[in-house]
Amino acid sequence: MQIQDLPYPDPGVPDARSGPRFLWWLGRNQLGGQLKALAWGLLHFAAVSALPFCVGLAVQAVVDRSGKRLALTGGLLLLASACSALGDAFLHRAAVTNWITAAARVQQLLARKAARLGSALTRRVAAGEVVAVSTGDVEKIGWFVEAVSRFTAAAVTIVLVCVALVVYQPALGLIVAVGLPALALAVLPLLPRATRRADLQREKAGRATELASDTVAGLRVLRGIGGEELFLDRYRRASQEVRHAAVHSARMWSLISAIQVLLPGLLLIAVVWYGVHLAREGRITVGELVTVYSSVMVLTYPLQHFQEIAMAYSFSRPSAKRAARVLSLERTTEPQEPGRPQEPGRPQEPERAHERPQEAATPRAAQSDTPSGGLYDPVTGLHVPAGLLTAVVCGDPDAAGRLAERLGGHPAEAPPGASVLLDGVPLDGLPLDAARTAVLVQDKDPVLLSGSLRELLDVPASGDVTVKAALAAAQCGDVLDALAQASLKAQDPMDVRITERGRSLSGGQRQRLALARSLVTDPEVLVLDEPTSAVDSHTEARIAEGLRALRAGRTTVVLTSSPLLLERADRVVLVHEGEAAAVGAHRELLRTEPRYRSVVTRQTDEERARDEAPTGEGTARTAPAAVSAHEAAAPRGVLEEIEETA
């Protein structure tokens, strides 16, 4: 095990059933490093413990006026000192290697889990908890893993020294052999209380981190509604609670440290008092008294590792519990990849519907009636033909978001029906990489990572769509001009750095850059959830034309209620109350489908009832034959222009 071997090609399948099991799994996977640290620790502690025996022999040689024995003892002292220094240096090296290896393995596992869960991770675990696990908790877990070997070496050394003292000087050695274990176990009654206080501190720190993350993410909105000071006051109170909990926990650990200092001092006093009494009676020599006294003094050093392992475990146990909770999360529809072992503690997955064709059934149609081409969602009955631009209208934005996630093959909740089918193949039966390569979902709040614009658009792609073409289709020309003006150093706008999450850009600029990134990827199926909700109507019209032209011949799904996008779609599907209720062209649906018209034109229930009320001739009034897309989009365009210039 070497640091240069990191990161591992495969960090392994963790035992995430509980925090202690996860710590045990980490230790087992670093057995070689633990044994190496144990060997160097034994050399170091044994050499340190040998020094008192050498000092005692030297004192006795001086008393007996034996130069030969004094010279021999001096050589032994040099050898013990050299072994102590060598063991200490390599023990530290091995311990740090164990710490870094454990921390890196946990970070790899967390990164792999985040990649597998995608956007579902932050919907199932608070963002603040994810941050806490991947930063502070990783360090505490690594601390415990590397402290185990040093504690084991210290415990073995204490046992060996006690046995040696009993053999060397039974009268005093028996006192030391009984007293040292009592010292080591004296703090055990205090550990549960110290652990509870440490757990409380971690819990409050996690809440404060989550509150800080939420406040920073929504700072712009909070300033707009005047709620900034309110949330800052909440964070101040949470921070003070963390401080009080930390002080409360530190008091208990300081008490444990004081006991670790007081009790060895009392043992030392007892050894000296009894040793002097034995020396006066002539039952022991001066050298033997010095040896036992020095041994007790030196053994306080390995005894400190008992306190360290107790602290490391009480701090790392809640951290390991949180890490195990994140690592135990699974995709709602998780395929068991061929050759991959079943994860410990995870129940064997039931046989899927597509593996049992005689029992499989969809809510909308029989299996034999399922469309074989394009993208098909059996839960809603939505069919997206291959090679067309299909617009989907949902009255509920949350339902639209869930539909987009399901079309991508990674829903946050298990759907009541079978998996989404791509050309007749269930997405949840494909390997995760293949499913994500085939279907790309851009949600309504895409994330822009910090870095240059060139790095932002450097994504896995088919190569058929150039960056220039994608930026042009997404109408990013003014964004490039704004970036060029914002940075005088960069000669090319593509080299201008974008701040974290694109906070230096307006909402519309962020949305267009995210759309360009999705277009560069050029997936087989592209699912866009409200891709133009933050841009003005004129820009939206040009984006609709560019999207249609660039994705010609490719399968594209746009979840929107914008008439400008709906007008340019090859087909429009209305999803009402969880099912595909109507299919047709935009103008046709406006004319014939009241539910569609009410969503697209923002028609209220009273207006719809008035339009559908019978006239004097006994016929119901109908909407105009065609509603202008620009007129329907006008109210939203005004609001979007305000957002665009914000």
Side-chain angles (χ1 to χ4, degrees):
M1 180 186 62
Q2 300 292 333
I3 294 180
Q4 56 262 31
D5 296 334
L6 300 175
Y8 289 114
D10 182 7
V13 180
D15 187 349
R17 288 176 287 180
S18 65
R21 288 178 182 272
F22 180 59
L23 292 174
W24 173 249
W25 178 84
L26 282 175
R28 284 192 294 108
N29 278 271
Q30 295 180 210
L31 190 58
Q34 296 284 3
L35 293 176
K36 185 183 297 184
L38 176 60
W40 290 116
L42 286 174
L43 176 63
H44 171 62
F45 289 124
V48 170
S49 301
L51 292 176
F53 291 93
C54 295
V55 171
L57 292 175
V59 170
Q60 192 60 41
V62 171
V63 172
D64 296 341
R65 299 181 181 276
S66 174
K68 184 177 180 180
R69 279 192 296 157
L70 184 61
L72 179 61
T73 304
L76 292 176
L77 276 172
L78 288 176
L79 179 61
S81 299
C83 290
S84 174
L86 182 67
D88 189 24
F90 282 92
L91 170 62
H92 180 73
R93 178 186 178 90
V96 170
T97 301
N98 287 337
W99 181 86
I100 294 177
T101 302
R105 190 188 296 273
V106 176
Q107 287 179 330
Q108 277 188 262
L109 291 170
L110 292 172
R112 185 177 69 178
K113 181 61 63 175
R116 294 182 69 86
L117 292 177
S119 59
L121 175 61
T122 52
R123 291 193 297 270
R124 299 167 69 179
V125 180
E129 184 172 351
V130 176
V131 173
V133 171
S134 58
T135 53
D137 287 340
V138 167
E139 296 182 2
K140 295 176 180 63
I141 292 171
W143 176 28
F144 174 75
V145 171
E146 65 93 6
V148 169
S149 55
R150 288 188 284 112
F151 162 73
T152 305
V156 172
T157 301
I158 289 176
V159 172
L160 293 177
V161 170
C162 288
V163 172
L165 287 177
V166 170
V167 174
Y168 179 72
Q169 178 44 250
L172 291 177
L174 189 60
I175 296 177
V176 176
V178 173
L180 282 177
L183 295 181
L185 300 177
V187 297
L188 285 182
L190 300 177
L191 289 180
R193 182 175 298 179
T195 301
R196 287 194 297 271
R197 293 187 179 184
D199 290 348
L200 180 61
Q201 178 191 351
R202 293 294 173 277
E203 181 182 351
K204 291 184 178 296
R207 292 176 183 173
T209 303
E210 180 180 349
L211 181 59
S213 177
D214 292 342
T215 303
V216 171
L219 192 57
R220 185 176 180 181
V221 177
L222 291 175
R223 286 174 176 171
I225 63 176
E228 181 181 2
E229 287 300 325
L230 174 63
F231 274 78
L232 288 178
D233 288 340
R234 290 182 181 178
Y235 180 73
R236 290 190 188 101
R237 290 195 298 270
S239 179
Q240 289 302 312
E241 289 180 2
V242 174
R243 184 180 66 85
H244 289 307
V247 172
H248 202 51
S249 177
R251 287 174 179 170
M252 182 57 64
W253 289 113
S254 63
L255 176 60
I256 293 176
S257 298
I259 293 176
Q260 290 286 320
V261 173
L262 175 63
L263 294 184
L266 295 177
L267 177 62
L268 189 61
I269 292 174
V271 168
V272 171
W273 178 82
Y274 188 58
V276 170
H277 175 71
L278 294 178
R280 285 179 176 177
E281 294 180 353
R283 296 169 58 183
I284 63 171
T285 64
V286 175
E288 291 173 339
L289 176 59
V290 171
T291 298
V292 177
Y293 169 79
S294 301
S295 296
V296 175
M297 286 287 295
V298 169
L299 285 179
T300 57
Y301 168 54
L303 269 177
Q304 295 174 359
H305 291 80
F306 284 78
Q307 177 187 348
E308 182 193 13
I309 196 65
M311 291 182 64
Y313 180 73
S314 37
F315 277 84
S316 65
R317 187 178 61 83
S319 298
K321 181 180 179 181
R322 281 198 293 266
R325 177 171 175 262
V326 174
L327 294 174
S328 63
L329 298 175
E330 294 297 338
R331 292 176 64 205
T332 307
T333 53
E334 185 79 25
Q336 186 68 27
E337 298 178 11
R340 186 174 185 84
Q342 184 74 20
E343 296 188 12
R346 177 180 166 190
Q348 188 71 28
E349 295 182 356
E351 193 176 15
R352 289 191 178 83
H354 67 271
E355 295 170 347
R356 295 178 287 108
Q358 68 276 10
E359 299 179 14
T362 67
R364 307 298 169 206
Q367 191 75 9
S368 59
D369 297 333
T370 298
S372 58
L375 199 65
Y376 177 71
D377 177 27
V379 177
T380 60
L382 172 65
H383 177 224
V384 180
L388 298 182
L389 172 59
T390 301
V392 180
V393 176
C394 293
D396 182 4
D398 294 334
R402 292 192 294 270
L403 176 59
E405 295 164 5
R406 194 161 59 249
L407 292 177
H410 42 83
E413 299 177 355
S419 165
V420 169
L421 304 180
L422 176 61
D423 294 332
V425 179
L427 274 182
D428 67 0
L430 295 176
L432 184 61
D433 293 342
R436 287 183 173 173
T437 302
V439 183
L440 174 65
V441 178
Q442 176 182 308
D443 60 21
K444 57 173 60 70
D445 186 22
V447 176
L448 300 184
L449 302 178
S450 59
S452 68
L453 182 56
R454 192 183 308 278
E455 294 170 342
L456 174 69
L457 299 178
D458 184 15
V459 293
S462 66
D464 296 335
V465 177
T466 64
V467 171
K468 183 178 180 180
L471 290 171
Q475 299 299 310
C476 295
D478 62 320
V479 181
L480 296 178
D481 295 338
L483 290 175
Q485 294 174 3
S487 177
L488 300 177
K489 297 181 180 179
Q491 301 295 328
D492 189 344
M494 298 293 293
D495 296 325
V496 177
R497 293 193 64 81
I498 298 174
T499 57
E500 181 187 2
R501 299 183 67 90
R503 290 193 174 95
S504 58
L505 305 172
S506 69
Q509 290 173 332
R510 288 195 300 269
Q511 201 169 55
R512 283 179 281 166
L513 287 178
L515 176 59
R517 179 179 59 187
S518 300
L519 294 175
V520 167
T521 304
D522 189 33
E524 180 181 348
V525 179
L526 177 60
V527 180
L528 303 172
D529 185 7
E530 293 289 354
T532 58
S533 59
V535 302
D536 61 83
S537 57
H538 302 290
T539 305
E540 185 177 35
R542 294 193 294 269
I543 290 176
E545 292 290 351
L547 177 64
R548 180 184 176 88
L550 192 64
R551 293 287 298 175
R554 307 288 275 172
T555 307
T556 308
V557 184
V558 182
L559 290 97
T560 183
S561 59
S562 167
L564 294 171
L565 287 172
L566 297 172
E567 180 74 24
R568 289 160 179 81
D570 295 318
R571 65 199 302 268
V572 179
V573 181
L574 171 65
V575 176
H576 181 70
E577 295 183 353
E579 68 176 62
V583 181
H586 168 58
R587 292 178 181 270
E588 175 189 355
L589 292 175
L590 275 177
R591 195 169 52 248
T592 61
E593 180 55 61
R595 294 172 297 182
Y596 178 82
R597 186 167 56 249
S598 66
V599 174
V600 174
T601 63
R602 278 67 168 176
Q603 190 179 41
T604 63
D605 294 338
E606 292 79 4
E607 292 172 340
R608 185 169 64 181
R610 186 173 62 250
D611 290 342
E612 295 175 353
T615 62
E617 290 76 12
T619 58
R621 289 180 295 181
T622 60
V627 178
S628 169
H630 291 280
E631 290 177 357
R636 189 166 68 93
V638 173
L639 296 177
E640 290 163 349
E641 288 177 0
I642 295 174
E643 168 64 20
E644 180 70 15
T645 56

